[in-house]
Amino acid sequence: MTTIEEAFQAAIASKKINGAVICARSKNGSFSYNKTMGERTLLSGEKKPQQLDDMIYLASATKFMTTIAAMQCVEDGLLSLDADVSPLCPELGSKQVLTGFTEDESKSPILEPANRPITLRMLLSHSSGVTYHFLDPKIGAWRERYALPGEDEKRNVEETFSYPLSFQPGEGWMYGAGHDWAGRIIERVTGQTLCERMQERMFTPLGITDAQFYPVTRDDLRERLVDLNPDDVEGLGRAVLGGGGDINKRSKGDFGGHGLFMMGPDFVRILGSLLDGDGVLLKQTTIDGMFVQQLGEQAGKDHLEKLDGPIGPFFRIGVEPEVKVGYGISGILTLEDVDGWQGQGTLSWGGGLTLTWFVDRKNGLCGVGAIQSALPVDVGLVLELKQVFRKDVYRKFAEWKSQS
């Protein structure tokens, strides 16, 4: 088996990636693996070795933090997983389902009313019908015609994701902005910004002081931003996003689906709290509920069909097609043991093209791998490196156990 060190150093030597931050630990922290490789480049052009306290862009891994914040609100009695969210978020309650466009010259959208309410559970499991425009051609066409942002225009969640639904709530599955809407709902019921809420209820209890949504404005954090160099002057996390960054540049407020920056070891503190079931962030019963299939029969079938489609490899998060999977709250869920690797009930997801995380409660291991890619991103290589991380960290853990 190729090791993390061999594969990542070879990619650095070939200038395909600039570096990486990799952090993993076992339940209760008896085993840990923290590794940095490569360099980051400052705006001045000076190169510095990658450090564990470097600020990495989480992109869609932000969704995991938003999920925890939402589940805390459920525990506090502020929200319910299965109640209609429209009293708190009428913008979602008024959405209709886009089924297509008329064939006449007007090409008007064909919309039908939603046949059931959207719930928080649907938002957190991508079964609400809220879909990213770049993953559904008809939503993309609607956006082009009715909601294309202006040059340098900043929009809040409601304005950014004003699109109709892709499918009837609860009747399909597609990755989308459900966590951005969940973040706004959290803000409305708590009276805090999403970052304030996370700092109070998630970061501070775990001793985390260095986390901020885009834009990162604290000088001490900004100077540790990865890729804050001539390729990413604005600190957008462009390499993580495959060279883009507009999703941050145009954001106004805290976006629960993509906007957070933090250190790798701090990310693992959060994963580890759920792995340990220590009660600091969530009750054990709440955690248990996150690690089970969330999709009903019809949505579950659609999820599996999406995994078998052209973009399936990105949504499988390294799990082979023959392995039975479902979708938990905020991640793909293995429904059976994988020999020598993930145990049944492992939850995993990623961020952009370059970051991946997992929590395996059965085997007692969690981790995050953040690849700092060069631009343009070699997508195939990055997929391979993420899989090397996922597999080799299990090998290292097994080797440690055999020697303990």
Side-chain angles (χ1 to χ4, degrees):
M1 176 187 290
T2 304
T3 68
I4 290 169
E5 291 80 4
E6 292 168 343
F8 280 72
Q9 290 295 352
I12 292 169
S14 66
K15 302 189 185 304
K16 294 290 187 178
I17 69 171
N18 296 320
V21 175
I22 297 172
C23 302
R25 80 158 175 87
S26 65
K27 186 173 183 177
N28 299 322
S30 52
F31 164 83
S32 64
Y33 176 81
N34 295 293
K35 182 76 172 178
T36 62
M37 290 172 278
E39 297 178 319
R40 60 188 178 93
T41 308
L42 307 182
L43 278 172
S44 64
E46 179 188 0
K47 293 184 181 295
K48 287 195 172 183
Q50 194 93 58
Q51 300 291 326
L52 283 174
D53 68 351
D54 284 344
M55 297 291 291
I56 57 178
Y57 177 46
L58 301 190
S60 286
T62 303
K63 291 177 172 66
F64 188 67
M65 312 302 169
T66 301
T67 294
I68 294 173
M71 299 307 290
Q72 288 174 333
C73 287
V74 172
E75 288 188 348
D76 292 347
L78 298 174
L79 294 174
S80 167
L81 273 174
D82 295 309
D84 179 2
V85 299
S86 60
L88 294 169
C89 192
E91 300 92 338
L92 284 175
S94 64
K95 283 187 180 295
Q96 294 182 300
V97 180
L98 178 64
T99 61
F101 296 86
T102 60
E103 296 182 1
D104 59 21
E105 188 175 340
S106 70
K107 302 293 182 186
S108 299
I110 303 172
L111 297 163
E112 61 181 38
N115 58 23
R116 63 173 57 82
I118 290 174
T119 67
L120 180 61
R121 189 186 303 275
M122 293 177 187
L123 292 174
L124 299 179
S125 62
H126 300 294
S127 59
S128 67
V130 174
T131 301
Y132 286 133
H133 69 274
F134 51 85
L135 293 176
D136 184 331
K138 67 179 184 294
I139 296 296
W142 189 94
R143 176 179 179 269
E144 283 285 330
R145 185 166 184 178
Y146 299 105
L148 199 65
E151 187 71 23
D152 294 327
E153 179 184 0
K154 293 185 179 296
R155 292 180 172 183
N156 59 23
V157 168
E158 297 90 333
E159 296 163 335
T160 301
F161 303 116
S162 61
Y163 327 135
L165 303 177
S166 285
F167 50 81
Q168 288 290 348
E171 295 184 8
W173 185 93
M174 178 46 77
Y175 197 50
H179 289 74
D180 296 287
W181 285 106
R184 286 295 290 123
I185 291 169
I186 292 165
E187 291 182 332
R188 291 177 184 183
V189 298
T190 64
Q192 298 172 290
T193 68
L194 188 56
C195 192
E196 287 171 345
R197 180 68 175 182
M198 288 182 179
Q199 187 63 59
E200 178 185 310
R201 293 293 300 275
M202 190 184 322
F203 303 151
T204 296
L206 292 176
I208 297 170
T209 59
D210 294 352
Q212 193 171 20
F213 278 80
Y214 183 84
V216 175
T217 54
R218 277 175 48 187
D219 289 341
D220 61 320
L221 303 186
R222 193 167 173 80
E223 67 185 12
R224 288 153 42 203
L225 272 178
V226 173
D227 293 328
L228 186 60
N229 58 51
D231 286 333
D232 191 9
V233 175
E234 296 168 284
L236 297 168
R238 292 186 66 238
V240 179
L241 298 169
D246 276 3
I247 196 166
N248 273 333
K249 189 174 182 180
R250 298 183 187 281
S251 297
K252 183 167 62 177
D254 297 345
F255 276 61
H258 65 258
L260 196 59
F261 292 73
M262 70 189 315
M263 300 188 305
D266 285 346
F267 192 109
V268 170
R269 288 193 203 187
I270 295 167
L271 298 178
S273 181
L274 270 61
L275 178 66
D276 296 345
D278 57 18
V280 174
L281 300 182
L282 294 171
K283 299 174 183 177
Q284 187 63 62
T285 53
T286 302
I287 297 170
D288 291 344
M290 294 172 59
F291 286 74
V292 295
Q293 169 72 298
Q294 300 297 312
L295 305 178
E297 182 178 354
Q298 191 168 346
K301 181 180 178 181
D302 190 49
H303 175 231
L304 295 180
E305 289 176 354
K306 296 296 193 329
L307 295 185
D308 289 336
I311 55 177
F314 292 97
F315 293 152
R316 281 194 167 274
I317 317 297
V319 180
E320 298 297 334
E322 63 270 16
V323 177
K324 294 179 181 178
V325 297
Y327 203 85
I329 293 190
S330 285
I332 194 170
L333 188 75
T334 55
L335 298 179
E336 59 184 0
D337 292 338
V338 182
D339 187 36
W341 192 38
Q342 294 180 344
Q344 180 181 1
T346 296
L347 193 69
S348 55
W349 202 248
L353 295 177
T354 62
L355 186 146
T356 187
W357 61 264
F358 71 91
V359 181
D360 182 346
R361 298 197 302 162
K362 185 169 185 178
N363 288 315
L365 188 67
C366 67
V368 59
I371 300 165
Q372 310 308 328
S373 179
L375 292 173
V377 177
D378 186 331
V379 177
L381 175 63
V382 167
L383 285 173
E384 291 176 12
L385 291 174
K386 287 192 290 187
Q387 194 68 340
V388 168
F389 153 70
R390 299 184 190 108
K391 296 281 189 174
D392 190 40
V393 76
Y394 274 82
R395 184 194 63 78
K396 294 179 189 301
F397 183 37
E399 186 178 89
W400 173 84
K401 286 192 292 185
S402 70
Q403 296 173 355
S404 299

